[in-house]
């Protein structure tokens, strides 16, 4: 029984984290959908390689590599936060 | 007990599409205390029993009395070595079982298969689900109990859908009107749509057009849902309806692009009735039982399409509306009963009853046609037993209209199809009648009026008939030229044809 | 051709001098952009019905049209930055160095315009962030649109990082000559700068360029953007593996055209004949010809496979395409440009910068038309073609047309403003043109000041 409870918990957790969904016909879809490996496995690969090279390449300067990552993350955050503000404004004004 | 023998042999014989359930079942059982091999083996043998590969005697030989008693006692899970069945695990198994049943449905979709066989298969599917259906498999006649039991357990394998008899449709457009009224649709947003076409391959001409009644197909593998970037378009797990959450949708219209059938209607302009008023007046009708806004016409800027009336199914519109949809009601009222909505997984649902009835009728397996036009099945054909009273029975008057009225009979039997099956969307609308071929061409209303007068009513006539359109003639017309309607709001350009 | 030696003053000219023409252009682009913003607000207030779009199916129209076509077009133009950076950084074609930064800025501007189109295209733009990001962990598994959002974000962020990193060198060295009122910005841009970092940043930028060069053309414009269409089997005009390469060649064709026009404008405005030389134009024009050839070659593949012995729906869609003036027209324009470019390689005297500009503008018009047509055609000729007798055709509304001018105005505005703040030609380029590759020409004082 314990084992069953455990496995159930694992199942629930995985379905929550990985977002399994039930189809009408009872089958389970989603993880790993094609996007999982296309996007995170293939398309973003150049970024992983780049980040690795930043940290591992010579002449090395981890500080600058960290700075590069901060640039990337910062600009991404700026972009989406800006977009959020803009869309919220649109929402308030027009919807 | 020779469970091991049964696992792994004969597998080549099983149709390929039946294999998914096995993988799922196994993965659901593996890692639990349940005996996966036994479960899969048993299920497979149930399947063989269904296809006749295994006789009942053989089946009994393979499994000792214990197993069979347990099976009869509806406890499949005990067989697998569990002390007591966990609800969640039951659900998981049932999810796998849904695919299993689906596979069986695929087999039964073949019109050559007799009803008896179909019933046996369905029962076997139920047996596999641990619902004590072995007794049902015994005579292949009483799957109803099994299905009812299944419902009691809150199984999630309901799949709403429709059977639409194209040969019964007479082009009255009652369904279109009913849908407009029910959902407050904008002019031209014909969630339900009726097309007339000519098609040389089917000997359909302008004088004798073919017809297609087209709601959303509520696909089980809905591409519209897959492509949606927000999960607004989703399948309701409890009944398989494909719906749009109007509070999440961003109006990107990718679902409309992804759908191969052209059934989506975007809310290009503000709705007829003001949002607040609409929500106030229709609170029950707009939200389903999950409190998600998925029903009636969408607000401006989001996507709408045929919903198959979820708030009716949830009982929000009253008990009598459960299990009905507005277009079917309208069609029944017009005396046509071409649309049959219900749970496609339930053999006793209206669509399944209708399809059996209709198939038997077309094959000439019905006798005793009484004057009123009520048919009674030949009881000797044990595949043809259909619940429902015969003339003279006390409850004879209860025979539903849709079952008893003028079913068209063709000599060759009736063909069934689903639209664009090759796209693998697994649509849940089953059509009876001729399928439009790849070269079929739509006929305009004018063409039909000219070449085949009376074949369909025009939208003008529909608006004259419709009380709704008459009360609000300006902006609530029922039309089929949505582009023209929308062009009125277009700022410059946007020429029509 | 000028024999002047380029110097710092040259590249600082846009920042220091403001001509009357500048103000005129500023005013015009601002007016056009604002006009579109105004029209967009009408669209927001009244609904998308103000466009010429409708529902496909019994709606008799197309649900995606010019907005989506123009979105793809702008992402395509944005690829100019990659081509030039690739040429300079990875292939060592240093003669293109003077236009590399302009091209990279074009990437940012083009992607911004594309992003703007995504929002303009939506029925409920106010939910764009909450609905998309809020369900990202689910939708990324299956929705090509979410893949697009992901990769375009990555592309934008990487290009912006690239620019920011390379600007550190220039801004530090030119700091003294830069206007004081942007001081806080320059401080931010050069934060933590030390001379030692040059070599490290140089290496990081190389890897960054490599990552962008693999991701953007091959996986964005030859990947997730065409997949929006190519993965849908119910549209014969879209479906199929060829759309990846086809989209990419069209993107590169328009990107080169964009760079040609942009470089020409700056050269003319700031008297940069000795920096952006005729040689650069000649080279860019040749590239344009090469990409145009690939563009046409892949169109040919599609036409042949769509006409020879294809399925009913595919044959039908191809036939419709081949009989449409917009398709024929855009292909003819690209073909004419290709013929001109081939002719001028054989006969050098046929080349002139003006002709290159005409070719570039023509190609941009053709690629925009082709892209919009591609989107519309797919929806007009689906596999489920039973709606034929439903009345309706698509022609973009005034708002949609103005959106193109509006986003062009937006991009022009971007350049007019950015050119006032940071040098649009790399200091490296000037150093290179002067014959030195080292860092020994920069004024020492500036560096020390920043370090202090
Ligand atoms: S018919 Fe279209 S809209 Fe309806 S479920 Fe299928 S794909 Fe989705
Ligand atoms: S229009 Fe709405 S429901 Fe359709 S794909 Fe976009 S977000 Fe999803």
């Amino acid at each position: 029984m314990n084992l069953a409870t455990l496995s159930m918990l694992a199942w629930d957790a995985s379905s929550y984290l990985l977002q399994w969904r039930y189809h009408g016909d009872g089958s389970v879809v989603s993880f790993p959908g094609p996007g999982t490996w296309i996007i995170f496995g293939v398309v973003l690969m150049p970024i992983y390689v780049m980040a690795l090279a930043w940290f591992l390449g010579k002449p090395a300067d981890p500080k600058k590599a960290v700075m590069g990552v901060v640039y990337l993350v910062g600009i991404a955050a700026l972009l989406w936060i800006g977009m959020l503000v803009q869309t919220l404004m649109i929402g308030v004004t027009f919807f | 007990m020779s469970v091991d023998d049964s696992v792994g042999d004969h597998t080549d014989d099983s149709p390929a599409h039946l294999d998914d359930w096995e993988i799922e079942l196994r993965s659901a059982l593996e890692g639990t205390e349940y005996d996966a091999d036994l479960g899969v083996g048993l299920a497979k043998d149930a399947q063989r029993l269904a296809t006749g590969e295994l006789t009942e005697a053989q089946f009994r030989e393979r499994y000792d009395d214990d197993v069979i008693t347990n099976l009869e006692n509806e406890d499949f899970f005990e067989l697998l070595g569990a002390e007591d069945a966990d609800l969640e695990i039951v659900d998981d198994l049932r999810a796998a079982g849904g695919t299993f049943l689906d596979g069986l449905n695929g087999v039964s979709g073949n019109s050559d298969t007799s009803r008896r066989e179909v019933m046996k298969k369905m029962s076997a599917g139920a047996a596999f689900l641990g619902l004590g259906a072995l007794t049902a498999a015994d005579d292949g006649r009483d799957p109803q109990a099994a299905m009812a039991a299944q419902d009691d357990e809150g199984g999630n394998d309901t799949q709403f859908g429709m059977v639409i008899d194209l040969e019964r449709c007479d082009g009255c457009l009652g369904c279109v009107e009913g849908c407009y009224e029910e959902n407050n649709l904008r002019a031209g947003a014909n969630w339900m749509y009726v097309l007339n076409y000519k098609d040389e391959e089917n000997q359909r001409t302008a004088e004798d057009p073919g017809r297609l009644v087209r709601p959303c197909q509520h696909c089980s593998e809905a591409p519209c849902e897959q492509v949606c970037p927000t999960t607004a378009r989703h399948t309701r797990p409890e009944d398989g309806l494909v719906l749009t959450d109007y509070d999440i949708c961003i109006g990107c219209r990718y679902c409309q692009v992804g759908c191969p059938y052209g059934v989506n209607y975007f809310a290009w302009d503000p709705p007829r009735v003001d949002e607040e008023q609409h929500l106030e007046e229709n609170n029950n009708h707009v939200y389903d039982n999950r409190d998600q806004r998925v029903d009636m016409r969408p607000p401006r800027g989001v996507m709408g399409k045929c919903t198959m009336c979820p708030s009716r199914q949830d009982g929000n519109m009253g008990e009598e509306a459960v299990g009905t949809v507005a277009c079917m009601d309208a069609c029944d009222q017009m005396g046509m009963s071409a649309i049959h909505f219900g749970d496609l997984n339930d053999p006793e649902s209206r669509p399944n009853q209708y399809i059996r009835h209709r198939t038997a009728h077309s094959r000439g397996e019905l006798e005793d046609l009484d004057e009123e036009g009520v048919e009674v099945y030949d009881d000797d054909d044990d595949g043809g037993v259909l619940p429902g009273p015969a003339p003279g029975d006390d409850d004879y008057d209860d025979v539903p209209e849709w079952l008893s009225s003028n079913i068209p009979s063709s000599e060759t039997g009736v063909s069934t199809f689903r639209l664009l099956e090759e796209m693998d969307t697994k649509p849940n609308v089953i059509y009876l009648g001729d399928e439009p071929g790849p070269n079929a061409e739509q006929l305009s209303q004018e063409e039909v009026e000219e070449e085949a007068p009376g074949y369909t009513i025009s939208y003008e006539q529909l608006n004259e008939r419709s009380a709704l359109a008459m009360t609000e003639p300006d902006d609530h017309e029922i039309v089929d030229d949505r582009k023209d309607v929308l062009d009125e709001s277009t700022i410059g350009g946007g020429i029509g044809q | 051709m000028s024999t002047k030696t380029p110097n710092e003053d040259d590249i600082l000219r846009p920042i220091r001098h403001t001509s009357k023409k500048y103000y005129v252009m500023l005013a015009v682009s601002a007016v056009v952009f604002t006009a579109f913003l105004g029209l967009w607000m009408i669209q927001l207030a009244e609904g998308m019905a103000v466009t010429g779009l409708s529902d496909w199916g019994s709606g008799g129209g197309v649900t995606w049209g010019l907005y989506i076509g123009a979105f793809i077009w702008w992402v395509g133009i944005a690829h100019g930055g990659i081509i030039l950076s690739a040429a300079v950084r990875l292939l060592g074609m240093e003669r293109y160095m003077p236009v590399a930064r302009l091209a990279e800025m074009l990437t940012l501007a083009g992607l911004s315009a594309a992003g703007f189109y995504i929002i303009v295209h939506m029925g409920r733009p106010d939910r764009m962030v909450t609905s998309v990001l809020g369900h990202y962990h689910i939708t990324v598994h299956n929705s090509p649109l979410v893949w697009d959002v992901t990769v375009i974000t990555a592309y934008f962020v990487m290009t912006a990082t690239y620019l920011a990193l390379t600007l550190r060198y220039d801004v530090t060295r030119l700091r003294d000559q830069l206007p004081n009122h942007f001081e806080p910005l320059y401080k931010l841009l050069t934060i933590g700068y030390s001379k030692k970092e040059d070599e490290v940043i140089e290496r990081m930028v190389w890897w960054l360029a490599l990552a962008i060069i693999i991701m953007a053309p091959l996986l964005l414009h030859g990947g997730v953007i065409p997949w929006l269409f190519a993965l849908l089997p119910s549209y014969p005009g879209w479906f199929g593996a060829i759309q990846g390469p086809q989209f990419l060649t069209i993107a590169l064709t328009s990107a080169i055209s964009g760079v040609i026009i942009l470089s020409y404008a700056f050269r003319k405005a700031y008297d940069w004949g000795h920096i952006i030389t005729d040689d650069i134009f000649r080279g860019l024009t040749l590239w344009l010809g090469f990409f145009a050839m690939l563009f046409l070659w892949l169109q040919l593949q599609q036409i042949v496979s769509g006409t020879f012995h294809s399925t009913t729906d595919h044959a039908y869609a191809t036939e419709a395409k081949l009989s449409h003036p917009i398709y024929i027209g855009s292909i003819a324009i690209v073909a004419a440009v290709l013929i001109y470019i081939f002719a001028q390689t054989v006969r050098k005297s046929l080349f002139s910068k003006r002709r290159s500009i005409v070719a570039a503008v023509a190609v941009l018009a053709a690629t925009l038309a082709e892209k919009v047509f591609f989107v519309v055609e797919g929806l007009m000729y689906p596999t489920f073609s039973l709606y034929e007798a439903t009345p309706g055709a698509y022609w973009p509304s005034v708002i949609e047309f103005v959106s193109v001018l509006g986003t062009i105005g937006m991009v022009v505005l971007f350049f007019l403003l950015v050119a006032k703040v940071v040098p649009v030609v790399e200091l490296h380029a000037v150093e290179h043109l002067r014959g030195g590759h080292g860092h020994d020409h920069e004024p020492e004082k500036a560096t020390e000041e920043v370090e202090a």
Side-chain angles (χ1 to χ4, degrees):
Chain A
M1 195 63 232
N2 277 339
L3 199 66
T5 319
L6 257 180
S7 68
M8 256 167 46
L9 278 176
W11 178 277
D12 283 353
S14 81
S15 73
Y16 177 75
L17 289 174
L18 305 175
Q19 294 297 330
W20 302 61
R21 280 177 297 159
Y22 290 102
H23 261 188
D25 65 359
S27 65
V28 172
V29 287
S30 211
F31 189 81
T36 321
W37 61 269
I38 294 175
I39 297 302
F40 299 109
V42 179
V43 175
L44 298 184
M45 181 80 85
I47 299 189
Y48 310 151
V49 173
M50 173 191 81
L52 276 181
W54 280 3
F55 283 99
L56 303 179
K58 300 244 159 20
D61 184 351
K63 264 208 202 115
K64 292 296 151 188
V66 169
M67 182 186 84
V69 173
V70 170
Y71 268 49
L72 290 174
V73 174
I75 293 171
L78 223 73
L79 187 71
W80 279 95
I81 292 170
M83 208 122 71
L84 177 67
V85 172
Q86 188 197 349
T87 56
L88 289 183
M89 268 157 51
I90 294 174
V92 169
T93 322
F94 295 101
F95 292 94
Chain B
M1 201 161 124
S2 58
V3 172
D4 285 347
D5 294 347
S6 72
V7 180
D9 60 358
H10 296 298
T11 38
D12 293 349
D13 301 344
S14 13
H17 59 272
L18 287 179
D19 289 342
D20 286 354
W21 66 265
E22 186 191 330
I23 298 163
E24 275 174 33
L25 175 65
R26 191 172 284 282
S27 72
L29 289 172
E30 225 118 43
T32 70
E33 65 190 272
Y34 306 122
D35 183 336
D37 282 349
L38 177 60
V40 173
L42 190 58
K44 276 194 166 177
D45 281 343
Q47 182 190 319
R48 276 179 212 139
L49 182 68
T51 53
E53 224 178 294
L54 210 65
T55 65
E56 203 186 310
Q58 282 170 318
F59 186 83
R60 284 183 182 277
E61 212 173 280
R62 284 200 181 183
Y63 298 95
D64 56 34
D65 283 348
D66 238 20
V67 172
I68 301 215
T69 315
N70 272 327
L71 198 55
E72 280 167 350
N73 289 341
E74 307 187 11
D75 207 338
F76 178 68
F77 305 98
E78 230 161 81
L79 300 179
L80 305 180
E83 282 154 31
D84 65 311
D86 261 307
L87 268 185
E88 269 86 343
I89 288 288
V90 174
D91 277 348
D92 297 340
L93 288 170
R94 205 157 274 139
T99 326
F100 175 79
L101 278 180
D102 209 48
L104 290 174
N105 281 339
V107 175
S108 67
N110 179 343
S111 54
D112 296 342
T113 322
S114 83
R115 179 172 167 267
R116 183 190 168 86
E117 278 166 344
V118 173
M119 286 297 93
K120 271 177 84 174
K121 282 166 192 156
M122 294 305 289
S123 315
F128 156 70
L129 289 171
L131 298 164
L134 191 63
T135 41
D138 258 340
D139 58 15
R141 276 181 205 193
D142 189 23
Q144 203 165 10
M147 285 301 166
Q150 189 177 323
D151 283 346
D152 286 346
E153 306 227 8
N156 64 350
D157 53 358
T158 301
Q159 175 60 61
F160 281 134
M162 282 177 180
V163 164
I164 300 181
D165 191 339
L166 298 174
E167 289 179 23
R168 283 187 82 141
C169 171
D170 83 333
C172 72
L173 303 185
C175 53
V176 178
E177 184 188 356
C179 185
Y180 264 72
E181 275 176 38
E182 176 87 359
N183 295 304
N184 254 323
L185 299 180
R186 283 301 263 154
N190 299 358
W191 287 5
M192 180 52 116
Y193 189 58
V194 180
L195 300 103
N196 303 303
Y197 64 87
K198 61 177 181 201
D199 185 3
E200 276 170 24
E201 283 151 53
N202 281 337
Q203 284 85 46
R204 293 298 194 173
T205 59
E207 294 80 43
D208 179 21
R211 187 130 49 201
L212 186 72
V213 180
R214 188 239 59 193
C216 165
Q217 312 286 308
H218 289 265
C219 311
S220 290
E221 289 289 341
C224 61
E225 174 183 338
Q226 271 200 323
V227 300
C228 174
T230 65
T231 69
R233 181 59 58 85
H234 65 283
T235 302
R236 218 162 64 144
E238 61 262 43
D239 54 15
L241 289 183
V242 179
L243 301 169
T244 317
D245 189 322
Y246 298 153
D247 291 328
I248 292 177
C249 173
I250 55 173
C252 69
R253 310 193 286 291
Y254 202 12
C255 51
Q256 185 177 132
V257 171
C259 166
Y261 305 100
V263 307
N264 287 275
Y265 296 86
F266 183 65
W268 298 95
D269 47 3
R272 201 168 51 83
V273 177
D274 169 75
E275 257 308 90
E276 269 155 46
Q277 192 192 336
H278 172 75
L279 286 177
E280 214 167 279
E281 284 170 5
N282 302 299
N283 191 41
N284 274 344
H285 193 173
V286 162
Y287 294 95
D288 72 353
N289 62 359
R290 303 165 300 169
D291 223 16
Q292 274 177 266
R293 184 171 177 194
V294 294
D295 207 350
M296 292 189 80
R297 58 94 178 134
R300 169 167 70 97
V302 310
M303 191 59 78
K305 69 161 184 68
C306 154
T307 59
M308 292 198 177
C309 305
S311 49
R312 282 186 182 226
Q313 315 321 328
D314 293 347
N316 297 355
M317 310 291 290
E319 272 314 305
E320 44 330 315
V322 174
T324 68
V325 283
C327 53
M328 177 170 82
D329 280 359
C331 190
D332 285 349
Q333 266 161 35
M334 300 300 280
M336 301 320 299
S337 295
I339 300 172
H340 306 280
F341 166 85
D343 178 6
L344 296 184
N345 288 346
D346 174 3
E348 292 315 316
S349 68
R350 177 167 160 175
N352 279 330
Q353 285 194 47
Y354 183 80
I355 219 166
R356 283 201 301 277
H357 184 74
R358 178 78 153 87
T359 318
H361 183 271
S362 296
R363 286 212 204 95
E365 285 167 7
L366 298 172
E367 55 172 34
D368 296 344
L369 209 66
D370 91 339
E371 297 144 28
E372 311 291 319
V374 176
E375 301 96 343
V376 179
Y377 281 101
D378 171 8
D379 258 332
D380 292 334
D381 172 12
D382 45 14
V385 180
L386 193 78
D393 287 356
D394 279 351
D395 50 355
Y396 170 63
D397 283 343
D398 296 343
V399 175
E401 182 108 359
W402 56 265
L403 204 55
S404 60
S405 55
N406 55 329
I407 288 186
S409 177
S410 50
E411 275 158 29
T412 49
V414 65
S415 62
T416 65
F417 67 93
R418 302 190 196 212
L419 280 176
L420 298 183
E421 247 172 315
E422 69 277 17
M423 298 278 170
D424 206 27
T425 53
K426 304 210 168 69
N428 284 306
V429 174
I430 301 164
Y431 289 98
L432 294 168
D434 286 340
E435 180 170 12
N439 289 313
E441 280 177 51
Q442 189 189 11
L443 293 163
S444 68
Q445 285 257 333
E446 297 75 51
E447 279 173 290
V448 177
E449 263 161 53
E450 217 164 90
E451 303 287 338
Y455 186 73
T456 180
I457 75 162
S458 69
Y459 281 82
E460 288 77 42
Q461 290 167 315
L462 180 58
N463 281 313
E464 275 163 35
R465 186 180 78 198
S466 164
L468 188 78
M470 274 191 295
T471 50
E472 293 161 88
D474 280 351
D475 53 1
H476 204 280
E477 267 190 322
I478 306 177
V479 296
D480 69 340
D481 54 350
R482 180 160 175 78
K483 183 75 175 91
D484 293 343
V485 175
L486 288 173
D487 280 352
E488 282 167 26
S489 331
T490 298
I491 297 186
I495 46 162
Q497 215 167 31
Chain C
M1 274 217 232
S2 172
T3 48
K4 280 192 288 180
T5 320
N7 56 28
E8 277 85 8
D9 283 344
D10 283 328
I11 63 171
L12 287 168
R13 201 168 306 132
I15 299 174
R16 287 178 177 160
H17 302 278
T18 313
S19 65
K20 218 204 240 141
K21 267 193 198 147
Y22 177 91
Y23 287 117
V24 172
M25 275 195 82
L26 191 70
V28 170
S29 51
V31 163
V32 176
F33 183 47
T34 318
F36 174 61
L37 287 183
L39 290 174
W40 179 39
M41 288 191 185
I42 296 179
Q43 178 183 303
L44 285 171
E46 317 229 309
M48 302 282 295
V50 298
T51 64
L53 299 163
S54 176
D55 303 303
W56 85 266
S58 82
V62 296
T63 193
W64 285 3
L66 187 144
Y67 287 157
I68 291 289
F71 155 76
I72 306 169
W73 185 65
W74 274 119
V75 182
I77 292 176
H79 280 59
I82 307 166
I83 307 171
L84 271 295
S85 312
V88 176
R89 295 259 168 214
L90 303 180
L91 304 176
M93 297 163 85
E94 291 184 339
R95 72 167 155 164
Y96 294 111
M97 220 189 240
V99 291
R101 180 167 290 159
L102 275 175
E104 284 144 18
M105 288 173 163
L106 183 61
T107 298
L108 287 191
L111 286 181
S112 305
F116 187 39
Y117 263 116
I118 295 184
I119 294 181
V120 167
H121 162 86
M122 262 190 243
R124 289 299 300 259
D126 56 316
R127 295 174 180 164
M128 150 88 189
V129 180
T130 46
S131 280
V132 174
L133 287 194
H135 303 91
Y136 184 86
H137 56 298
I138 305 172
T139 50
V140 71
H141 301 312
N142 282 303
S143 174
L145 212 51
V146 174
W147 306 346
D148 267 56
V149 170
T150 310
V151 185
I152 289 176
T153 303
Y155 185 14
F156 186 93
V157 168
M158 287 160 83
T159 308
T161 304
Y162 182 97
L163 262 172
L165 289 178
T166 51
L167 274 172
R168 293 168 70 84
Y169 178 88
D170 294 25
V171 171
T172 311
R173 279 160 188 78
L174 297 172
R175 179 64 201 87
D176 271 359
Q177 289 112 298
L178 293 171
N180 279 331
H181 42 269
F182 294 132
E183 178 63 25
L185 181 68
Y186 298 134
K187 270 227 172 86
L188 186 72
L189 277 175
T190 53
I191 199 160
Y193 182 85
S194 72
K195 236 185 132 189
K196 287 201 312 274
E197 79 170 36
D198 289 348
E199 217 184 332
V200 179
I201 295 287
E202 192 64 17
R203 181 177 61 79
M204 282 169 65
V205 162
W206 189 90
W207 281 101
L208 188 49
L210 182 71
I212 302 178
I213 282 150
I214 291 171
M215 195 181 73
L218 300 183
L219 303 172
L220 176 61
H221 221 96
V224 293
I225 289 188
W227 291 342
L228 282 177
F229 309 92
L231 302 185
L232 302 175
S234 46
Y235 301 93
W238 292 350
F239 185 63
I242 201 166
Q243 294 310 342
Q246 176 72 84
F247 267 54
L248 181 55
T249 56
I250 298 174
L252 297 181
T253 316
S254 49
I256 288 286
S257 301
V259 174
I260 290 178
I261 293 172
L262 190 61
S263 324
Y264 183 76
F266 272 91
R267 168 177 156 143
K268 203 147 186 263
Y270 298 109
D271 201 12
W272 279 350
H274 56 304
I275 296 176
I276 305 176
T277 58
D278 281 7
D279 189 38
I280 290 180
F281 282 100
R282 226 182 263 279
L284 289 176
T285 311
L286 268 183
W287 282 34
L288 178 59
F290 177 65
F291 291 137
M293 188 177 72
L294 293 180
F295 173 165
L296 295 177
W297 170 62
L298 290 172
Q299 289 291 339
L300 180 72
Q301 306 292 329
Q302 293 192 65
I303 293 170
V304 174
S305 63
T307 46
F308 181 68
H309 206 291
S310 52
T311 51
T312 313
D313 52 347
H314 192 184
Y316 190 57
T318 313
E319 197 186 305
K321 177 160 86 172
L322 288 176
S323 58
H324 202 286
I326 291 191
Y327 179 76
I328 302 292
S330 32
I331 297 300
I333 289 175
V334 177
V337 166
L338 179 61
I339 291 168
Y340 160 69
I341 291 171
F342 271 170
Q344 57 96 354
T345 53
V346 178
R347 192 186 262 257
K348 291 265 189 303
S349 63
L350 281 174
F351 171 81
S352 81
K353 287 188 296 298
R354 193 171 292 266
R355 283 182 196 152
S356 290
I357 294 297
V358 171
V361 171
V363 162
L364 281 176
T367 47
L368 177 61
E370 193 278 340
K371 274 284 83 96
V372 176
F373 179 79
F374 171 84
V375 172
V376 171
E377 177 230 0
L379 288 163
M380 281 282 193
Y381 304 99
T383 298
F384 192 67
S385 58
L386 208 51
Y387 297 104
E388 258 166 304
T390 307
Y394 171 66
W395 189 254
S397 73
V398 166
I399 296 192
E400 291 170 273
F401 277 121
V402 175
S403 76
V404 177
L405 298 177
T407 45
I408 293 174
M410 174 178 153
V411 168
V412 173
L413 213 53
F414 171 87
F415 274 100
L416 290 173
L417 298 179
V418 165
K420 285 281 159 223
V421 184
V422 291
V424 296
V425 173
E426 279 181 79
L427 200 52
H428 279 310
V430 177
E431 291 160 2
H432 173 73
L433 284 172
R434 278 203 303 243
H437 294 262
H439 305 146
D440 36 15
H441 294 283
E442 72 274 2
E444 287 295 330
K445 209 167 93 252
T447 324
E448 280 160 23
E449 217 175 65
V450 169
E451 277 175 20

